[in-house]
Every structure is written in C-alpha cells, then in structure tokens.
Coordinates of all heavy atoms in Angstrom, one line a residue:
M1184 N -115.9 130.2 -43.0 CA -114.7 129.4 -43.5 C -114.4 128.4 -42.4 O -114.1 127.3 -42.6 CB -113.6 130.3 -43.9 CG -113.6 130.8 -45.3 SD -114.2 129.7 -46.5 CE -112.6 128.7 -46.9
R1185 N -114.4 128.9 -41.2 CA -114.1 128.1 -39.9 C -114.9 126.8 -40.0 O -114.5 125.8 -39.8 CB -114.3 128.9 -38.8 CG -113.7 128.4 -37.5 CD -112.2 128.3 -37.7 NE -111.8 126.9 -37.1 CZ -110.6 126.5 -37.3 NH1 -109.7 127.2 -38.0 NH2 -110.2 125.3 -36.9
D1186 N -116.1 127.0 -40.2 CA -117.1 125.9 -40.1 C -116.8 124.8 -41.2 O -116.8 123.6 -41.0 CB -118.6 126.2 -40.3 CG -119.0 126.9 -38.9 OD1 -118.3 126.8 -38.0 OD2 -120.1 127.5 -39.0
D1187 N -116.5 125.3 -42.4 CA -116.0 124.4 -43.5 C -114.9 123.7 -43.1 O -114.8 122.5 -43.4 CB -115.6 125.4 -44.8 CG -116.9 125.7 -45.7 OD1 -117.9 125.2 -45.3 OD2 -116.7 126.2 -46.7
H1188 N -113.9 124.4 -42.5 CA -112.6 123.7 -42.2 C -112.9 122.6 -41.2 O -112.4 121.4 -41.3 CB -111.6 124.6 -41.6 CG -110.2 124.1 -41.5 ND1 -109.6 124.1 -40.3 CD2 -109.5 123.4 -42.4 CE1 -108.4 123.5 -40.4 NE2 -108.4 123.1 -41.7
D1189 N -113.8 122.8 -40.3 CA -114.2 121.8 -39.3 C -114.7 120.5 -40.0 O -114.4 119.4 -39.8 CB -115.2 122.3 -38.2 CG -114.5 123.1 -37.2 OD1 -113.2 123.1 -37.2 OD2 -115.2 123.9 -36.4
H1190 N -115.7 120.8 -40.9 CA -116.3 119.7 -41.6 C -115.2 119.0 -42.4 O -115.3 117.7 -42.6 CB -117.4 120.3 -42.6 CG -118.0 119.2 -43.4 ND1 -118.6 118.1 -42.9 CD2 -118.1 119.1 -44.7 CE1 -119.1 117.4 -43.9 NE2 -118.8 117.9 -45.0
Q1191 N -114.3 119.7 -43.1 CA -113.4 119.1 -43.9 C -112.5 118.2 -43.1 O -112.1 117.1 -43.4 CB -112.5 120.2 -44.6 CG -113.2 120.9 -45.8 CD -112.6 122.2 -46.2 OE1 -111.9 122.8 -45.4 NE2 -112.9 122.5 -47.3
R1192 N -112.1 118.7 -41.8 CA -111.3 117.9 -41.0 C -112.0 116.6 -40.6 O -111.4 115.5 -40.4 CB -110.9 118.7 -39.6 CG -109.8 119.7 -39.8 CD -109.4 120.4 -38.6 NE -109.0 119.4 -37.5 CZ -107.7 119.2 -37.2 NH1 -106.8 120.0 -37.9 NH2 -107.4 118.3 -36.4
E1193 N -113.3 116.7 -40.3 CA -114.1 115.5 -40.1 C -114.0 114.4 -41.2 O -113.9 113.3 -41.0 CB -115.6 115.8 -39.9 CG -115.9 116.1 -38.5 CD -117.3 116.8 -38.3 OE1 -118.2 116.2 -39.0 OE2 -117.6 117.7 -37.5
V1194 N -114.2 115.0 -42.3 CA -114.2 114.1 -43.5 C -112.8 113.5 -43.7 O -112.7 112.4 -44.0 CB -114.6 114.9 -44.8 CG1 -114.4 114.0 -46.1 CG2 -116.1 115.3 -44.7
A1195 N -111.8 114.3 -43.5 CA -110.4 113.9 -43.6 C -110.1 112.9 -42.6 O -109.3 111.9 -43.0 CB -109.4 115.1 -43.5
T1196 N -110.7 112.9 -41.5 CA -110.5 111.9 -40.5 C -111.1 110.6 -40.9 O -110.6 109.6 -40.7 CB -111.2 112.4 -39.1 OG1 -110.5 113.7 -38.7 CG2 -110.8 111.4 -38.0
Q1197 N -112.3 110.7 -41.5 CA -113.0 109.5 -42.0 C -112.1 108.9 -43.0 O -111.9 107.6 -43.0 CB -114.3 109.9 -42.6 CG -115.4 110.2 -41.7 CD -116.7 110.7 -42.5 OE1 -116.8 110.4 -43.6 NE2 -117.4 111.5 -41.8
I1198 N -111.5 109.6 -43.9 CA -110.7 109.1 -45.0 C -109.5 108.3 -44.4 O -109.2 107.2 -44.7 CB -110.2 110.1 -45.9 CG1 -111.5 110.8 -46.7 CG2 -109.2 109.6 -47.0 CD1 -111.2 112.1 -47.5
A1199 N -108.8 109.1 -43.4 CA -107.7 108.5 -42.7 C -108.0 107.2 -42.1 O -107.1 106.3 -42.1 CB -107.1 109.4 -41.9
R1200 N -109.2 107.2 -41.4 CA -109.4 105.9 -40.7 C -109.8 104.8 -41.6 O -109.4 103.6 -41.4 CB -110.7 106.2 -39.8 CG -110.4 107.2 -38.6 CD -111.5 107.1 -37.6 NE -111.9 105.9 -37.1 CZ -112.6 105.8 -36.1 NH1 -113.1 106.8 -35.4 NH2 -112.9 104.6 -35.6
R1201 N -110.6 105.2 -42.7 CA -110.9 104.1 -43.7 C -109.7 103.5 -44.4 O -109.6 102.4 -44.7 CB -111.9 104.6 -44.7 CG -113.3 104.5 -44.1 CD -114.3 105.4 -45.0 NE -114.3 104.9 -46.4 CZ -115.2 105.4 -47.2 NH1 -115.9 106.5 -46.9 NH2 -115.2 105.1 -48.5
A1202 N -108.7 104.4 -44.6 CA -107.5 104.0 -45.3 C -106.5 103.3 -44.3 O -105.5 102.7 -44.7 CB -106.8 105.1 -45.9
G1203 N -106.9 103.3 -43.0 CA -106.0 102.7 -42.1 C -104.7 103.6 -41.6 O -103.8 103.1 -41.0
A1204 N -104.8 104.8 -42.0 CA -103.6 105.7 -41.7 C -103.6 106.1 -40.3 O -102.6 106.4 -39.7 CB -103.7 107.0 -42.6
I1205 N -104.8 106.2 -39.8 CA -105.0 106.3 -38.3 C -105.9 105.2 -37.8 O -106.8 104.8 -38.5 CB -105.6 107.7 -37.8 CG1 -106.9 108.1 -38.4 CG2 -104.5 108.8 -38.1 CD1 -107.4 109.3 -38.0
A1206 N -105.6 104.7 -36.6 CA -106.4 103.6 -36.2 C -106.6 103.6 -34.7 O -106.0 104.3 -33.9 CB -105.7 102.2 -36.4
E1207 N -107.7 103.0 -34.2 CA -108.1 103.1 -32.8 C -107.3 102.2 -32.0 O -107.2 101.0 -32.4 CB -109.5 102.7 -32.6 CG -110.5 104.0 -32.9 CD -111.9 103.6 -32.7 OE1 -112.2 102.6 -32.1 OE2 -112.8 104.3 -33.1
C1208 N -106.8 102.6 -30.8 CA -106.2 101.7 -29.9 C -107.3 100.6 -29.5 O -108.4 101.0 -29.2 CB -105.7 102.4 -28.6 SG -105.4 101.4 -27.3
E1209 N -106.8 99.3 -29.5 CA -107.8 98.3 -29.3 C -108.3 98.3 -27.8 O -109.4 97.9 -27.5 CB -107.0 97.0 -29.5 CG -106.9 96.6 -31.0 CD -106.2 95.4 -31.2 OE1 -106.0 94.5 -30.2 OE2 -105.7 95.1 -32.3
L1210 N -107.5 98.9 -26.9 CA -107.9 98.9 -25.5 C -108.8 100.1 -25.2 O -109.6 100.1 -24.3 CB -106.7 98.8 -24.6 CG -105.8 97.5 -24.7 CD1 -104.6 97.7 -23.8 CD2 -106.7 96.4 -24.3
H1211 N -108.4 101.2 -25.7 CA -109.0 102.6 -25.3 C -109.8 103.3 -26.4 O -110.4 104.3 -26.1 CB -108.0 103.4 -24.8 CG -107.0 102.8 -23.7 ND1 -105.7 102.3 -24.1 CD2 -107.2 102.5 -22.4 CE1 -105.3 101.8 -22.9 NE2 -106.1 101.9 -22.0
G1212 N -109.6 103.0 -27.6 CA -110.4 103.6 -28.7 C -109.8 105.0 -29.1 O -110.3 105.7 -29.8
E1213 N -108.6 105.2 -28.5 CA -108.0 106.5 -28.8 C -107.3 106.4 -30.2 O -106.8 105.2 -30.5 CB -107.0 106.8 -27.8 CG -106.3 108.2 -27.9 CD -105.6 108.6 -26.6 OE1 -106.1 108.3 -25.5 OE2 -104.5 109.2 -26.7
L1214 N -107.4 107.3 -31.1 CA -106.7 107.3 -32.4 C -105.2 107.6 -32.3 O -104.7 108.4 -31.6 CB -107.4 108.4 -33.3 CG -108.9 108.1 -33.6 CD1 -109.4 109.4 -34.3 CD2 -109.1 107.0 -34.5
V1215 N -104.7 106.6 -33.0 CA -103.1 106.7 -33.1 C -102.7 106.6 -34.6 O -103.4 106.0 -35.5 CB -102.4 105.6 -32.3 CG1 -102.7 105.7 -30.9 CG2 -103.0 104.2 -32.8
D1216 N -101.6 107.3 -34.9 CA -101.1 107.3 -36.3 C -100.5 106.0 -36.6 O -99.7 105.4 -35.9 CB -99.9 108.4 -36.2 CG -99.4 108.8 -37.6 OD1 -99.5 107.9 -38.5 OD2 -98.9 110.0 -37.8
N1217 N -100.9 105.5 -37.8 CA -100.5 104.2 -38.2 C -99.4 104.2 -39.2 O -99.2 103.3 -40.0 CB -101.8 103.5 -38.7 CG -101.7 102.0 -38.7 OD1 -100.9 101.5 -37.8 ND2 -102.4 101.2 -39.4
D1218 N -98.8 105.5 -39.6 CA -97.8 105.5 -40.5 C -98.2 105.1 -42.0 O -97.4 104.5 -42.6 CB -96.5 104.8 -40.1 CG -95.3 105.4 -40.8 OD1 -95.3 106.5 -41.3 OD2 -94.3 104.6 -40.8
S1219 N -99.3 105.3 -42.4 CA -99.6 105.1 -43.8 C -100.5 106.2 -44.4 O -101.5 106.0 -45.0 CB -100.3 103.8 -43.9 OG -101.1 103.4 -42.9
A1220 N -99.9 107.5 -44.3 CA -100.6 108.6 -44.9 C -100.9 108.4 -46.3 O -101.9 108.9 -46.9 CB -99.8 109.8 -44.5
E1221 N -99.9 107.8 -47.1 CA -100.0 107.7 -48.5 C -101.3 107.0 -48.9 O -102.0 107.3 -49.8 CB -98.9 106.9 -49.1 CG -97.6 107.7 -49.1 CD -97.7 108.9 -49.9 OE1 -98.4 108.9 -51.0 OE2 -97.1 110.0 -49.5
E1222 N -101.7 106.0 -48.1 CA -102.9 105.2 -48.3 C -104.2 106.1 -48.2 O -105.1 106.0 -48.9 CB -103.1 104.1 -47.2 CG -102.0 103.0 -47.4 CD -102.0 102.4 -48.9 OE1 -103.1 102.0 -49.4 OE2 -100.9 102.2 -49.5
A1223 N -104.1 107.1 -47.3 CA -105.2 108.0 -47.0 C -105.2 108.9 -48.3 O -106.4 109.3 -48.8 CB -105.0 108.8 -45.8
Y1224 N -104.2 109.5 -48.7 CA -104.2 110.2 -49.9 C -104.7 109.5 -51.1 O -105.5 110.0 -51.8 CB -102.7 110.8 -50.2 CG -102.0 111.6 -49.2 CD1 -100.7 111.5 -49.0 CD2 -102.7 112.2 -48.1 CE1 -99.9 112.2 -48.0 CE2 -102.0 112.9 -47.2 CZ -100.6 112.9 -47.2 OH -100.0 113.5 -46.1
K1225 N -104.3 108.4 -51.2 CA -104.7 107.6 -52.5 C -106.3 107.3 -52.3 O -107.1 107.6 -53.3 CB -104.2 106.1 -52.3 CG -103.0 106.1 -53.3 CD -102.6 104.6 -53.4 CE -101.2 104.4 -52.9 NZ -100.7 103.1 -52.6
L1226 N -106.8 107.0 -51.1 CA -108.3 106.8 -51.0 C -109.0 108.1 -51.2 O -110.0 108.2 -52.0 CB -108.6 106.2 -49.5 CG -110.1 106.0 -49.3 CD1 -110.5 104.8 -50.1 CD2 -110.4 105.8 -47.8
G1227 N -108.4 109.2 -50.7 CA -109.1 110.5 -50.8 C -109.2 110.9 -52.3 O -110.2 111.3 -52.8
N1228 N -108.1 110.6 -53.1 CA -108.0 111.0 -54.5 C -109.0 110.2 -55.2 O -109.6 110.7 -56.2 CB -106.6 110.9 -55.0 CG -105.9 112.2 -54.8 OD1 -106.3 113.3 -55.2 ND2 -104.7 112.2 -54.2
S1229 N -109.1 108.9 -54.9 CA -109.9 108.0 -55.7 C -111.5 108.3 -55.5 O -112.3 108.0 -56.4 CB -109.7 106.6 -55.4 OG -110.2 106.2 -54.1
L1230 N -111.9 109.0 -54.3 CA -113.2 109.4 -54.1 C -113.5 110.9 -54.2 O -114.6 111.3 -53.9 CB -113.6 108.8 -52.8 CG -113.5 107.2 -52.5 CD1 -113.8 107.0 -51.0 CD2 -114.5 106.6 -53.4
F1231 N -112.5 111.6 -54.6 CA -112.5 113.0 -54.6 C -113.7 113.5 -55.5 O -114.5 114.4 -55.1 CB -111.2 113.7 -55.1 CG -111.2 115.1 -55.2 CD1 -111.0 115.8 -54.0 CD2 -111.4 115.8 -56.3 CE1 -111.0 117.2 -54.0 CE2 -111.5 117.3 -56.3 CZ -111.3 117.9 -55.2
D1232 N -114.0 113.0 -56.6 CA -115.0 113.4 -57.6 C -116.3 112.7 -57.3 O -117.4 113.0 -58.0 CB -114.6 113.1 -59.0 CG -113.6 114.3 -59.4 OD1 -113.6 115.3 -59.1 OD2 -112.7 113.9 -60.2
T1233 N -116.3 111.7 -56.4 CA -117.6 111.0 -56.1 C -118.1 111.3 -54.7 O -118.9 112.2 -54.4 CB -117.4 109.5 -56.5 OG1 -116.3 109.0 -55.7 CG2 -117.1 109.2 -57.9
E1234 N -117.7 110.4 -53.8 CA -118.2 110.5 -52.5 C -117.9 111.8 -51.7 O -118.7 112.3 -51.0 CB -117.6 109.4 -51.7 CG -118.3 109.2 -50.3 CD -117.9 107.9 -49.6 OE1 -117.3 106.9 -50.2 OE2 -117.9 107.9 -48.5
F1235 N -116.7 112.4 -52.0 CA -116.3 113.5 -51.3 C -116.4 114.9 -52.2 O -115.9 115.8 -52.0 CB -114.9 113.5 -50.8 CG -114.7 112.4 -49.9 CD1 -113.6 111.3 -50.2 CD2 -115.5 112.0 -48.9 CE1 -113.6 110.2 -49.4 CE2 -115.4 110.9 -48.1 CZ -114.5 110.0 -48.4
R1236 N -117.2 114.7 -53.3 CA -117.4 115.8 -54.2 C -118.0 117.1 -53.4 O -118.9 117.0 -52.6 CB -118.4 115.4 -55.2 CG -118.6 116.4 -56.4 CD -119.7 116.0 -57.3 NE -119.7 116.9 -58.5 CZ -119.3 116.5 -59.7 NH1 -119.0 115.2 -59.9 NH2 -119.3 117.3 -60.7
G1237 N -117.3 118.2 -53.7 CA -117.9 119.4 -53.1 C -117.3 119.7 -51.6 O -117.6 120.8 -51.1
V1238 N -116.7 118.7 -51.0 CA -116.2 118.9 -49.6 C -115.0 119.7 -49.7 O -114.8 120.7 -48.9 CB -116.0 117.5 -48.9 CG1 -115.3 117.8 -47.6 CG2 -117.2 116.7 -48.9
F1239 N -114.0 119.4 -50.5 CA -112.8 120.2 -50.6 C -112.7 121.0 -51.9 O -113.2 120.6 -52.9 CB -111.6 119.3 -50.6 CG -111.6 118.3 -49.4 CD1 -112.1 117.0 -49.5 CD2 -111.2 118.8 -48.1 CE1 -112.1 116.2 -48.4 CE2 -111.1 117.9 -46.9 CZ -111.7 116.6 -47.1
A1240 N -111.9 122.2 -51.9 CA -111.9 123.0 -52.9 C -111.0 122.4 -54.0 O -111.2 122.7 -55.3 CB -111.3 124.4 -52.5
S1241 N -110.0 121.6 -53.6 CA -109.0 121.1 -54.5 C -108.5 119.8 -53.9 O -108.6 119.6 -52.7 CB -107.8 122.0 -54.8 OG -107.1 122.4 -53.7
R1242 N -107.8 119.0 -54.8 CA -107.3 117.7 -54.3 C -106.0 118.1 -53.4 O -105.7 117.4 -52.3 CB -106.7 116.9 -55.5 CG -107.8 116.2 -56.2 CD -107.3 115.6 -57.5 NE -108.4 115.1 -58.3 CZ -108.8 113.8 -58.2 NH1 -108.2 112.9 -57.5 NH2 -109.8 113.5 -59.0
R1243 N -105.3 119.2 -53.7 CA -104.2 119.7 -52.9 C -104.8 120.0 -51.5 O -104.1 119.7 -50.6 CB -103.6 120.8 -53.6 CG -102.5 121.5 -52.8 CD -101.4 120.6 -52.5 NE -100.5 121.2 -51.5 CZ -99.4 121.8 -51.7 NH1 -99.1 122.1 -52.9 NH2 -98.8 122.2 -50.7
Q1244 N -105.9 120.8 -51.4 CA -106.3 121.1 -50.2 C -106.8 119.8 -49.4 O -106.5 119.7 -48.1 CB -107.6 122.0 -50.4 CG -108.2 122.6 -49.0 CD -109.5 123.0 -49.1 OE1 -110.4 122.4 -49.7 NE2 -109.8 124.2 -48.4
M1245 N -107.4 118.9 -50.1 CA -107.8 117.7 -49.4 C -106.5 116.9 -48.7 O -106.6 116.6 -47.6 CB -108.4 116.7 -50.4 CG -108.8 115.4 -49.8 SD -109.5 114.3 -50.9 CE -108.0 114.0 -51.8
T1246 N -105.5 116.8 -49.5 CA -104.3 116.1 -49.0 C -103.7 117.0 -47.8 O -103.2 116.4 -46.8 CB -103.2 115.8 -50.1 OG1 -102.9 117.0 -50.9 CG2 -103.7 114.7 -51.0
D1247 N -103.8 118.3 -48.0 CA -103.2 119.1 -46.9 C -104.0 118.9 -45.6 O -103.4 118.7 -44.5 CB -103.3 120.6 -47.2 CG -102.2 121.0 -48.2 OD1 -101.3 120.2 -48.6 OD2 -102.3 122.2 -48.7
I1248 N -105.3 118.8 -45.7 CA -106.0 118.6 -44.5 C -105.9 117.2 -44.0 O -105.9 116.9 -42.8 CB -107.6 119.0 -44.7 CG1 -107.6 120.5 -45.0 CG2 -108.4 118.8 -43.6 CD1 -109.0 121.0 -45.4
I1249 N -105.8 116.2 -44.8 CA -105.6 114.8 -44.4 C -104.3 114.8 -43.6 O -104.1 114.2 -42.5 CB -105.6 113.8 -45.5 CG1 -107.0 113.7 -46.1 CG2 -105.1 112.4 -45.0 CD1 -107.0 112.8 -47.4
K1250 N -103.3 115.5 -44.1 CA -102.0 115.5 -43.4 C -102.1 116.1 -42.1 O -101.5 115.6 -41.2 CB -101.0 116.2 -44.3 CG -99.6 116.4 -43.8 CD -98.6 117.1 -44.8 CE -97.2 116.9 -44.2 NZ -97.1 117.5 -42.8
E1251 N -102.9 117.3 -42.1 CA -103.0 118.0 -40.9 C -103.6 117.0 -39.7 O -103.3 117.1 -38.6 CB -104.1 119.1 -41.2 CG -104.2 120.1 -40.1 CD -105.2 121.3 -40.6 OE1 -105.0 121.9 -41.6 OE2 -106.4 121.3 -40.0
V1252 N -104.6 116.4 -40.2 CA -105.4 115.5 -39.2 C -104.5 114.4 -38.7 O -104.4 114.1 -37.5 CB -106.7 114.8 -40.0 CG1 -107.1 113.7 -39.2 CG2 -107.7 115.8 -40.1
I1253 N -103.7 113.9 -39.6 CA -102.8 112.8 -39.2 C -101.6 113.3 -38.4 O -101.2 112.7 -37.3 CB -102.1 112.1 -40.5 CG1 -103.3 111.3 -41.2 CG2 -101.1 111.0 -40.1 CD1 -102.8 110.6 -42.5
D1254 N -101.1 114.5 -38.7 CA -100.0 115.2 -38.0 C -100.6 115.5 -36.4 O -99.8 115.5 -35.5 CB -99.7 116.4 -38.6 CG -98.7 116.2 -39.7 OD1 -98.3 115.1 -39.9 OD2 -98.4 117.2 -40.4
D1255 N -101.9 115.7 -36.3 CA -102.4 116.0 -35.1 C -102.7 114.7 -34.2 O -103.1 114.7 -33.0 CB -103.8 116.7 -35.2 CG -103.7 118.2 -35.5 OD1 -102.5 118.6 -35.5 OD2 -104.7 118.8 -35.9
T1256 N -102.5 113.5 -34.8 CA -102.7 112.3 -34.1 C -101.4 111.7 -33.6 O -100.4 111.8 -34.3 CB -103.3 111.3 -35.1 OG1 -104.5 111.8 -35.8 CG2 -103.7 110.0 -34.4
G1257 N -101.4 111.3 -32.3 CA -100.1 110.9 -31.8 C -99.7 109.6 -32.2 O -100.5 108.7 -32.7
W1258 N -98.5 109.2 -32.0 CA -97.9 107.9 -32.4 C -98.4 106.8 -31.4 O -98.5 105.8 -31.7 CB -96.4 107.9 -32.4 CG -95.9 108.6 -33.7 CD1 -95.3 109.9 -33.7 CD2 -95.9 108.2 -35.1 NE1 -95.0 110.2 -34.9 CE2 -95.4 109.2 -35.8 CE3 -96.4 107.0 -35.7 CZ2 -95.3 109.1 -37.1 CZ3 -96.3 106.9 -37.0 CH2 -95.7 107.9 -37.8
E1259 N -98.7 107.2 -30.2 CA -99.1 106.3 -29.2 C -100.4 106.7 -28.5 O -100.6 107.9 -28.3 CB -97.9 106.0 -28.2 CG -96.8 105.4 -28.9 CD -95.6 105.0 -27.9 OE1 -95.9 105.3 -26.6 OE2 -94.6 104.6 -28.3
C1260 N -101.1 105.6 -28.1 CA -102.3 106.0 -27.3 C -101.9 106.5 -26.0 O -101.1 105.9 -25.3 CB -103.1 104.8 -27.1 SG -104.4 104.8 -25.9
G1261 N -102.4 107.7 -25.7 CA -102.0 108.4 -24.3 C -102.4 107.5 -23.1 O -101.7 107.5 -22.2
A1262 N -103.5 106.7 -23.3 CA -103.9 105.9 -22.0 C -102.9 104.7 -22.0 O -102.5 104.4 -20.7 CB -105.3 105.3 -22.2
C1263 N -102.5 104.2 -23.0 CA -101.5 103.0 -23.0 C -100.3 103.5 -22.3 O -99.6 102.9 -21.5 CB -101.2 102.5 -24.4 SG -102.5 101.3 -25.0
D1264 N -99.8 104.7 -22.9 CA -98.6 105.4 -22.5 C -98.6 105.5 -20.8 O -97.7 105.2 -20.2 CB -98.5 106.8 -23.1 CG -97.0 107.0 -23.4 OD1 -96.3 106.0 -23.7 OD2 -96.7 108.2 -23.6
R1265 N -99.8 106.0 -20.4 CA -99.8 106.3 -18.9 C -99.8 104.9 -18.2 O -99.1 104.8 -17.2 CB -101.2 106.9 -18.7 CG -101.1 108.5 -18.7 CD -102.4 109.1 -18.1 NE -103.5 108.7 -18.8 CZ -104.0 109.3 -19.9 NH1 -103.2 110.3 -20.5 NH2 -105.1 109.0 -20.5
N1266 N -100.4 103.9 -18.7 CA -100.3 102.4 -18.1 C -98.9 102.0 -18.0 O -98.6 101.4 -17.0 CB -101.2 101.5 -18.8 CG -102.7 101.7 -18.6 OD1 -103.1 102.5 -17.8 ND2 -103.6 101.2 -19.4
F1267 N -98.2 102.2 -19.1 CA -96.9 101.6 -19.1 C -95.9 102.4 -18.3 O -95.0 101.8 -17.6 CB -96.3 101.7 -20.5 CG -96.8 100.6 -21.4 CD1 -97.5 100.8 -22.7 CD2 -96.8 99.2 -21.0 CE1 -98.0 99.7 -23.4 CE2 -97.3 98.2 -21.8 CZ -97.8 98.5 -22.9
S1268 N -96.2 103.7 -18.1 CA -95.2 104.4 -17.2 C -95.6 104.4 -15.8 O -94.8 104.9 -14.9 CB -95.2 105.9 -17.7 OG -96.4 106.5 -17.8
D1269 N -96.7 103.8 -15.4 CA -97.0 103.7 -14.0 C -96.1 102.8 -13.2 O -95.8 101.7 -13.7 CB -98.5 103.3 -13.8 CG -99.4 104.5 -13.9 OD1 -98.9 105.6 -13.8 OD2 -100.6 104.3 -13.9
Ligands
ZN200 ZN1 -104.6 102.4 -25.5

C-alpha cells in the first residue's frame, strides 16, 4: 500500500501543478501553494475516468490526496524567504 500511496502522491502533484494549484518559484523552482485547490479537484475529477483511471480507488481518495499534497506545500518559497530575511 505504501508504494501505491507514493505513486498517488506523484500523480496528485502533477494534477495540482497542471491546474496551477501549486506553482514553481520563478527564481528557485521550489513548489509553492497557489491557493487554487478547487482547480486541482476539478481537473482531477474531469480526468478521473480517463487519464488517471486506476490510479485512485475513488474520487474522494483522489481529492484527499490532492489536498494532502497541497497542504504539504508551503505558501512561500523557502529560498526566497531566506533571501529576504538576510
Ligand atoms: Zn524562490
């Protein structure tokens, strides 16, 4: 199950990035939360039966894991943060 979950998190990360819910810092490439989780849920749901078929056990599980991935992403790039506080 652990491996499944890792794969699901990878896919959820892709969904969130494609939807723009998480985005890379332009300077450092670090992922930051873009405050649009709803867009990621929508994208995931629209592709649940096609592109992501078989990856998640249910739509509910998919949105839970997308949320988990976004929650794990900080609001600010750590590298930018360090530069500003120096
Ligand atoms: Zn940065």
Side-chain angles (χ1 to χ4, degrees):
M1184 281 312 282
R1185 194 61 226 169
D1186 290 345
D1187 267 7
H1188 190 237
D1189 283 349
H1190 177 59
Q1191 287 163 340
R1192 281 184 61 104
E1193 271 172 37
V1194 174
T1196 302
Q1197 283 172 29
I1198 294 170
R1200 288 187 61 165
R1201 276 165 60 178
I1205 53 179
E1207 281 182 11
C1208 166
E1209 287 174 13
L1210 297 176
H1211 310 100
E1213 190 163 322
L1214 291 171
V1215 293
D1216 193 330
N1217 206 24
D1218 198 20
S1219 32
E1221 288 302 323
E1222 295 301 316
Y1224 300 154
K1225 262 190 243 167
L1226 179 69
N1228 272 308
S1229 71
L1230 298 173
F1231 183 80
D1232 285 325
T1233 54
E1234 192 171 338
F1235 305 126
R1236 191 187 186 107
V1238 176
F1239 302 100
S1241 64
R1242 285 171 190 267
R1243 175 61 198 267
Q1244 186 198 40
M1245 178 186 66
T1246 51
D1247 281 353
I1248 296 176
I1249 291 173
K1250 181 176 187 303
E1251 184 183 299
V1252 166
I1253 294 174
D1254 282 350
D1255 284 350
T1256 306
W1258 285 107
E1259 293 184 6
C1260 165
C1263 282
D1264 217 27
R1265 274 192 295 279
N1266 287 346
F1267 283 125
S1268 53
D1269 274 349

